[in-house]
Amino acid sequence: MTLRKKLIAGNWKMNKTPADGVALVSELVAAIGKQTDVDVVVCPPFTALESVGRGIDDANFKLGAQNMHFEASGAFTGEIAAPMLRALFVTHVILGHSERRALFGETDAFINQKVIAALKNQLRPILCVGETLAEREAGDTLKVVQTQVEAGLEGVGKDQAPNLIIAYEPVWAIGTGKVATVDQAQEVHAFIRGLLTKLFGETIAQKVRILYGGSMKPSNAPELLAQKDIDGGLIGGASLEARSFVDLVKAAAEAK
Ligand code: 13P
């Protein structure tokens, strides 16, 4: 019996206007707004944070952003700071997503600065890690994940560590329909738990949620969520439709 409450987060990526987002969350609120078995986080684009935030006012949902800058303000054209997110009642922030690493050149050191800044501003980072197909085929999966976890969490103190959320997202499984097998996923999740144990000790490591991401959908979720170290999901495509997202939250509620 795990002490960790399951968490399902929807990463909408670059999809949905404010109006589209409000329409989606109104369906989610009607279906699962009052459930308390699973932590639910919706992560719209910046432009929809405010209206979606209002749309989930009466629900048990949390609001997440998909990125942020580590500085609190200044000459950083096009960037968004933690205090701006806090002002919109954002509580979570996805950091180091593989799309940001691959398409926008984000490095572990850069992501680490964001993790530190998020924690300092009472935002819970969802730190994403995961190997590419080439790295998996070369047998480097655990080495890559170790580097991303250790470098991403450098300087995080034990007092802050319980607020962390890690997402293991094998890059080859994102948006491809190719899901990691339960054994592949559980192996990496257990490995990450071991890294957290080394960094923060057993008690804290047992509290940190480790989400799986990569083509997770209602059909494959029950098996994945039944694994000992898989504490939820970071959902891309299947978070854009009310029915599939609702079914994922229900699958998490039923997972033991
Ligand atoms: P998909 O669920 O579309 O594969 O995306 C996963 C993801 O990248 C979530 O952050």
Side-chain angles (χ1 to χ4, degrees), residues 9 14 35 60 86 109 122 126 135 144 164-166 175 179 200 213 226 229 240-241 248 254:
M14 196 172 71
Q35 69 80 39
N60 256 325
R86 286 290 311 249
Q122 285 84 47
I126 303 177
E135 288 162 343
V144 167
L164 294 168
I165 297 160
I166 311 286
V179 65
F200 305 116
D229 290 292
L240 298 175
E241 304 242 349
L248 283 161
E254 280 158 23

Side-chain angles (χ1 to χ4, degrees), residues 1 30 64 80 106 110 129 171 199 208 212:
M1 188 43 205
I80 303 285
E106 293 199 6
F110 187 61
V129 300
V171 177
L199 288 171
V208 174
Y212 171 80

Side-chain angles (χ1 to χ4, degrees), residues 129 131 136 141-142 145 167-170 172-173 178-193 210-214 216 220-221 223-233:
V129 300
E131 80 288 0
R136 175 162 283 271
T141 297
L142 299 184
V145 167
Y168 169 56
E169 299 206 310
W172 47 272
K178 260 195 218 169
V179 65
T181 66
V182 288
D183 292 344
Q184 284 172 328
Q186 168 57 27
E187 181 198 11
V188 179
H189 281 238
F191 177 72
I192 294 171
R193 182 100 45 218
I210 307 175
L211 314 180
Y212 171 80
M216 198 171 185
N220 56 35
E223 249 198 320
L224 287 161
L225 293 169
Q227 300 304 301
K228 181 165 159 274
D229 290 292
I230 301 185
D231 307 314

Side-chain angles (χ1 to χ4, degrees), residues 104-122:
F104 303 99
E106 293 199 6
T107 62
D108 285 322
F110 187 61
I111 294 159
N112 175 244
Q113 288 178 283
K114 300 184 188 210
V115 170
I116 300 288
L119 290 168
K120 198 173 129 202
N121 286 280
Q122 285 84 47

